[in-house]
Amino acid sequence: MPAHLWPDLIAVAGGGVIGFLLTVFGGGGSVLATPLLLYGVGVADAHIAIGTSAAAVAVNAAAGLAGQARAGRVKWPCALVFGGSGLAGALVGAQFAKATPAQPLLAWFALAMSLVAASMLLPRKGVGDPNVHLTPALTRRLAPVGLATGLAAGFFGIGGGFLIAPGLMAATGMTLANAAASSLVSVALFGAATSASYAASGLVDWPLFGLLVLGGAAGTAIGLPAARALAGRADLARRLFAVMILATAAYVAKRALS
């Protein structure tokens, strides 16, 4: 196979992984997308990698959300409050990120990933409440958590699913299956806001975006049955998710600091 085709194939395969992870866990796709573009595809500019991955993650999250909505796993009132409050934060965070040099940005990215993954490995008393309903008290908890998560998602150039799913679980007590599905609302919104900000500055590689979305469609199709299989194994799914994030964080930190 001609050598010049390998980056394109890696991009399509990476898009498949992103779509799969977004569908199964509600996040993790953009955590891997930026390192994939930088170290796998060979994108030279970290800001272009962030902008392109954010755009692809937004589209793939929207596709995964459609499947999760048909399965009845999305807690729409909670998801919309969280996503709506976080949208402004995502736009502000993206502006700060574009003014931050690439190496420090990636180092902070790795640290944030590690802290969230470590929190997910802590033991939990239960698997969550599958019958969560939005109340005024829940709204008061969801809105500030959503705003802070959106700010982080915009700054790190990610959809934020690996922050959103734990945030939804912490604020509402919902199950991992419901949080993973509901988080896709925010992932799509935050990714769209972040990528729009980067695109306005000419920091999105649109042909590469197309390859990621192409692979993501296949990953979403494979991820839907996997999400059903893991719905009853919340603790196992959460730990697998956390280990994946920790491994990626270690690699990003090594490259950013070397």
Side-chain angles (χ1 to χ4, degrees), residues 2-100:
H4 69 276
L5 292 179
W6 277 111
D8 291 349
L9 290 177
I10 292 171
V12 172
V17 173
I18 294 165
F20 178 85
L21 292 172
L22 284 169
T23 304
V24 174
F25 296 116
S30 53
V31 173
L32 296 178
T34 297
L36 170 82
L37 295 183
L38 288 171
Y39 311 128
V41 177
V43 175
D45 187 330
H47 291 96
I48 290 178
I50 289 171
T52 304
S53 66
V57 165
V59 173
N60 288 335
L65 176 62
Q68 294 283 23
R70 286 194 294 270
R73 299 191 189 98
V74 180
K75 297 290 185 180
W76 286 104
C78 293
L80 290 173
V81 168
F82 194 100
S85 62
L87 187 58
L91 289 169
V92 173
Q95 291 300 317
F96 279 112
K98 287 188 293 184
T100 303

Side-chain angles (χ1 to χ4, degrees), residues 222-237:
I222 297 170
L224 286 171
R228 287 193 294 269
L230 286 173
R233 300 177 176 86
D235 190 62
L236 173 62

Side-chain angles (χ1 to χ4, degrees), residues 44-192:
D45 187 330
H47 291 96
I48 290 178
I50 289 171
T52 304
S53 66
V57 165
V59 173
N60 288 335
L65 176 62
Q68 294 283 23
R70 286 194 294 270
R73 299 191 189 98
V74 180
K75 297 290 185 180
W76 286 104
C78 293
L80 290 173
V81 168
F82 194 100
S85 62
L87 187 58
L91 289 169
V92 173
Q95 291 300 317
F96 279 112
K98 287 188 293 184
T100 303
Q103 295 303 97
L105 181 61
L106 290 174
W108 282 109
F109 181 31
L111 177 61
M113 291 165 63
S114 300
L115 292 175
V116 171
S119 72
M120 294 184 72
L121 288 171
L122 295 175
R124 298 182 185 272
K125 295 181 180 180
V127 296
D129 180 7
N131 298 310
V132 168
H133 296 287
L134 187 65
T135 64
L138 275 186
T139 300
R140 288 192 293 271
R141 290 205 298 270
L142 277 170
V145 175
L147 179 63
T149 302
L151 183 65
F155 180 75
F156 295 118
I158 55 176
F162 76 101
L163 295 169
I164 297 163
L168 284 169
M169 293 173 71
T172 68
M174 68 175 64
T175 68
L176 176 63
N178 290 136
S182 301
S183 70
L184 292 174
V185 174
S186 294
V187 173
L189 285 174
F190 296 172

